[in-house]
Amino acid sequence: MNAGRFRTSQILLFVALAAFTAAMLTPVVWALMTSVKQPIDAFAIPPKIVFEPTFEFHRQVWLEKGFGRFLLNSAVISLATVVVSVSIGTMAAYALSRMSGKAVGGIMLALLSLRMFPHMLLAIPFFILAKYLNLIDTYPAMVLALVAINQPFTIWMMHSFFVDVPKEIDEAAAIDGAGEWQTFFRVVLPIVRPGLWVTALFSLLLAYNEFLFALVLTGPHTKTLPVAIAEYGGEDLNYWSLSAAAAIAIMIPIVLFMMALQKHLVRGLALGAVK
Amino acid sequence: MAAVHLSGINKRFGETHVIRGVDIDIEDGMFCVLVGPSGCGKSTLLRMVAGLEAIDEGEISIGGTVVNDRPPKQRDIAMVFQNYALYPHMTVRENMSFALDLAKRPKAEIEKQVKRAADILGLVPYLDRYPRQLSGGQRQRVAMGRAIVRDPQVFLFDEPLSNLDAKLRVQMRTEIRELHQRLRTTSIYVTHDQTEAMTMADRIVVLKDGVVEQSGGPLELYSRPANTFVAGFIGSPSMNFMPGIARASGGTMQVDLGRGASLPLPAGSRADDGQAVLYGVRPEHFQLGASGLAVEVVVVEPTGADTQLYCRFDGHDVVAAIRDCAECRSGDRIVLAPDSRRAHLFDAASGLRLIA
């Protein structure tokens, strides 16, 4: 009886997950198909399932449209954002997780409220600041803006991992003779490493996909992929196929990155030493 | 190894005064157990010795040096935590060598020390495992191993056995005791379990509400408790307390317990005529007799070695542990005779022991 009910709920869960996955994948599959269709096929209604594929638009994206340059810009900005915001966020989160009192809750809420600002509200001040500091169309402008909006997330995320590490671990390290930095780098940080990877990945996605600030703060030298894609092929009939090919191209580095990190992302927190 | 002295220790957490003027002297090589109910301040006191908690007032010295302002790493102590606090990302070997590694000791020496500790604790087969791959008892041993390799002046134990099951707890209790006999390192051990305190300690310090109620050897506390708290806390099952009035009759002093029951004063105690007192008898110091307390048996619990009788006398519960008493049944009326040489008398108002 129980086993039967268990199996039924398992099947329902599987069906729900399959439906969810299909819904999520539909646009990706659609983009993939569109990217290898001739424009005439891409516009066809009802959509054509059988067609003669062409890789012309992928070739154009990679070879003629300066994709490599935009990818480099995106990579530099995203990685710099991750390094800066995760470093600051991790140290701040550790400090907050080891503090007690009402101030901690206040700081955490204040950080969260920063995330509530619509990005549009920040885009204009960021633009004015960057212009004033002569940073328009430079990497630091984008990195600073992205770090600013990403910092609350990294602190909250890392905080949730640090509070799961019992403070006795820090105390044991202190008794073993570790200073605060040694405790942080040699004891606590390695324990939350899987969380660090997750936080880094989400920060990377945010920076890599960010559009609004990139539109406002970048220029010919620092244009990132999302902005570049939006400008692709706007003027001709190839628009759909070319954008789709670019969308697939922009996905590839992230998919590769996730595959490389899969082991770290899946692994749970190894806190077996603590009851 | 070193003596540890605590004098005039006070500690407040906000408005709460958790440690109130505690003085404890622990001699070199002694195994001292701090025992008391939860919230009595025993763990706080231990953490103050460790340097994990600041001292508001008073002085703590280890090996003759005042350590109040020294961080934990300069106190030459090692501590075993209740939840073990092993480093989950390090193997048993790395857990044990971490402190020596930080102290930049030579590799060969580190290896030798880890080997020695692992030998003592039977951890050699597990050196390359991670804590999550070990059982509770093994983790407990690793925590002790981490302490041993340091060869510290003082070992601190903060309720190290409370996460283990009953059988393992008894086994580890013996192991810790053996370890102490072997290493002779001064040890301070915190527990809420009076059995642990009685079986392990050279000296027990009983704490309540941040105050030392009594300090002494296990048998001293058992046979001469300073007040009703210590008397009730030490020993299992707990001591019976029966309220009565001291009355002079026929040249001797008696304790009138009501219901016509009157008992001679316990040996070595004194009371004034008319004084309200508590007559204390441990369950194991009752015998079945002809004169004493006439009680009604409520529950009979044979344990094999003895039989515990839960009885009622004048509205009070009285527990007796009688050897070879298979005959009693619930509802029986029996007479319990306390051994007046081993009974105790306390002042009803202050709870203090009344000594002749």
Side-chain angles (χ1 to χ4, degrees):
Chain A
M1 176 92 178
N2 270 344
R5 198 182 303 155
F6 178 68
R7 205 160 53 223
T8 312
S9 66
Q10 288 282 79
I11 291 169
L12 286 177
L13 189 65
F14 179 79
V15 170
L17 282 173
F20 180 76
T21 309
M24 289 290 112
L25 278 178
T26 303
V28 179
V29 173
W30 184 87
L32 194 63
M33 287 174 66
T34 306
S35 74
V36 292
K37 282 178 179 175
Q38 293 293 347
I40 186 82
D41 294 333
F43 281 113
I45 293 174
K48 276 193 172 181
I49 304 295
V50 182
F51 55 89
E52 196 181 329
T54 171
F55 291 92
E56 169 60 18
F57 303 107
H58 285 278
R59 191 191 65 77
Q60 280 188 26
V61 165
W62 286 94
L63 300 180
E64 290 174 14
K65 299 284 185 180
F67 185 84
R69 172 73 202 175
F70 304 137
L71 177 63
L72 179 72
N73 288 340
S74 273
V76 169
I77 289 169
S78 305
L79 290 175
T81 302
V82 169
V83 169
V84 176
S85 72
V86 174
S87 306
I88 297 175
T90 301
M91 287 190 265
Y94 177 58
L96 285 166
S97 75
R98 293 309 187 248
M99 284 160 58
S100 54
K102 285 184 185 151
V104 178
I107 293 171
M108 294 297 285
L109 277 179
L111 285 167
L112 193 64
S113 68
L114 288 179
R115 255 187 95 78
M116 293 175 186
F117 288 124
H119 286 184
M120 199 62 214
L121 191 76
L122 301 170
I124 297 161
F126 278 169
F127 175 76
I128 296 169
L129 275 170
K131 194 156 176 59
Y132 181 73
L133 297 170
N134 215 10
L135 287 176
I136 294 288
D137 197 17
T138 63
Y139 290 144
M142 265 308 276
V143 173
L144 284 173
L146 290 174
V147 165
I149 60 160
N150 193 38
Q151 205 61 82
F153 167 76
T154 55
I155 294 175
W156 267 80
M157 192 84 173
M158 288 311 298
H159 185 264
S160 72
F161 292 110
F162 283 126
V163 291
D164 282 344
V165 179
K167 69 175 193 329
E168 285 86 355
I169 294 258
D170 302 46
E171 292 174 350
I175 287 175
D176 271 346
E180 284 177 15
W181 286 102
Q182 283 170 316
T183 303
F184 177 67
F185 281 112
R186 294 188 60 176
V187 177
V188 184
L189 200 54
I191 295 175
V192 301
R193 188 177 291 147
L196 193 66
W197 285 114
V198 173
T199 307
L201 177 76
F202 279 105
S203 302
L204 185 83
L205 289 179
L206 174 120
Y208 189 74
N209 292 327
E210 208 288 326
F211 176 74
L212 183 63
F213 295 155
L215 187 67
V216 174
L217 298 174
T218 62
H221 300 105
T222 55
K223 190 181 293 177
T224 58
L225 286 172
V227 179
I229 290 187
E231 294 172 357
Y232 274 1
E235 69 281 358
D236 60 39
L237 273 180
N238 295 342
Y239 173 74
W240 277 29
S241 300
L242 200 57
S243 307
I248 296 299
I250 195 173
M251 247 176 62
I252 291 170
I254 287 294
V255 171
L256 290 178
F257 186 78
M258 283 196 71
M259 283 166 73
L261 285 190
Q262 200 175 22
K263 191 184 85 185
H264 299 292
L265 295 178
V266 174
R267 196 173 57 199
L269 284 178
L271 288 176
V274 180
K275 253 201 124 136
Chain B
M1 284 189 277
V4 178
H5 298 291
L6 285 74
S7 62
I9 303 295
N10 278 281
K11 176 78 185 173
R12 289 175 188 80
F13 288 124
E15 296 290 296
T16 323
H17 197 168
V18 288
I19 303 286
R20 304 155 177 260
V22 165
D23 300 292
I24 301 173
D25 289 328
I26 302 162
E27 291 159 28
D28 188 8
M30 186 181 261
F31 198 104
C32 174
V33 175
L34 308 182
V35 67
S38 56
C40 71
K42 55 193 188 296
S43 280
T44 306
L45 213 49
L46 190 78
R47 291 169 57 80
M48 288 161 94
V49 176
L52 298 171
E53 211 74 72
I55 302 160
D56 289 348
E57 276 169 48
E59 225 173 58
I60 293 180
S61 73
I62 299 174
T65 313
V66 175
V67 295
N68 282 34
D69 298 322
R70 292 196 176 185
K73 64 174 175 179
Q74 287 174 21
R75 296 187 181 200
D76 200 8
I77 43 122
M79 184 157 166
V80 177
F81 291 85
Q82 182 175 358
N83 62 8
Y84 321 136
L86 301 178
Y87 311 126
H89 60 298
M90 296 185 195
T91 61
V92 169
R93 186 193 306 277
E94 288 164 346
N95 262 284
M96 282 164 60
S97 62
F98 185 62
L100 301 179
D101 200 26
L102 285 173
K104 297 200 164 45
R105 302 273 188 86
K107 276 243 159 55
E109 188 201 325
I110 294 178
E111 212 156 290
K112 201 177 117 197
Q113 286 286 66
V114 170
K115 172 89 176 40
R116 170 179 158 262
D119 273 337
I120 293 176
L121 294 162
L123 285 171
V124 176
Y126 309 108
L127 281 176
D128 293 314
R129 295 211 193 160
Y130 286 92
R132 62 177 174 277
Q133 299 168 310
L134 303 177
S135 69
Q138 289 164 341
R139 288 178 198 174
Q140 181 56 59
R141 283 203 193 93
V142 177
M144 293 204 295
R146 195 165 63 176
I148 293 174
V149 291
R150 306 258 314 274
D151 197 12
Q153 293 204 71
V154 183
F155 281 134
L156 307 175
F157 297 90
D158 190 4
E159 308 215 20
L161 304 184
S162 50
N163 282 355
L164 301 176
D165 64 50
K167 195 175 169 194
L168 200 52
R169 201 178 308 159
V170 174
Q171 186 191 331
M172 290 304 293
R173 202 163 77 191
T174 316
E175 282 190 27
I176 294 178
R177 189 66 199 155
E178 264 179 29
L179 191 68
H180 178 254
Q181 280 164 4
R182 186 163 168 175
L183 303 175
R184 286 281 156 211
T185 305
T186 311
S187 302
I188 309 178
Y189 187 105
V190 161
T191 180
H192 61 266
D193 179 347
Q194 65 88 26
T195 315
E196 262 176 40
M198 288 295 282
T199 50
M200 300 175 83
D202 295 321
R203 161 177 290 183
I204 299 177
V205 177
V206 182
L207 288 155
K208 184 189 160 207
D209 298 335
V211 176
V212 174
E213 292 286 325
Q214 192 176 358
S215 141
L219 293 180
E220 184 187 344
L221 264 56
Y222 176 82
S223 48
R224 298 185 59 78
N227 52 45
T228 50
F229 177 76
V230 175
F233 196 82
I234 298 290
S236 175
S238 288
M239 187 185 284
N240 298 292
F241 297 107
M242 289 159 287
I245 306 286
R247 295 204 193 285
S249 74
T252 59
M253 196 64 89
Q254 297 267 322
V255 180
D256 178 3
L257 299 175
R259 297 251 170 157
S262 192
L263 298 171
L265 283 197
S269 57
R270 56 136 204 96
D272 299 326
D273 191 18
Q275 186 176 1
V277 294
L278 290 171
Y279 191 93
V281 192
R282 295 196 182 279
E284 56 272 31
H285 296 154
F286 273 121
Q287 285 178 327
L288 291 180
S291 67
L293 303 176
V295 298
E296 184 188 344
V297 178
V298 182
V299 176
V300 179
E301 286 185 356
T303 67
D306 57 19
T307 302
Q308 295 188 0
L309 304 175
Y310 292 80
C311 311
R312 297 287 287 171
F313 169 77
D314 194 20
H316 299 287
D317 292 329
V318 175
V319 184
I322 310 281
R323 284 193 179 276
D324 311 320
C325 180
E327 305 303 318
C328 284
R329 279 171 210 282
S330 171
D332 282 359
R333 296 200 154 272
I334 56 172
V335 175
L336 293 173
D339 179 349
S340 68
R341 287 166 307 154
R342 301 206 266 186
H344 311 263
L345 197 67
F346 303 94
D347 178 50
S350 67
L352 293 176
R353 182 186 188 83
L354 295 169
I355 308 163

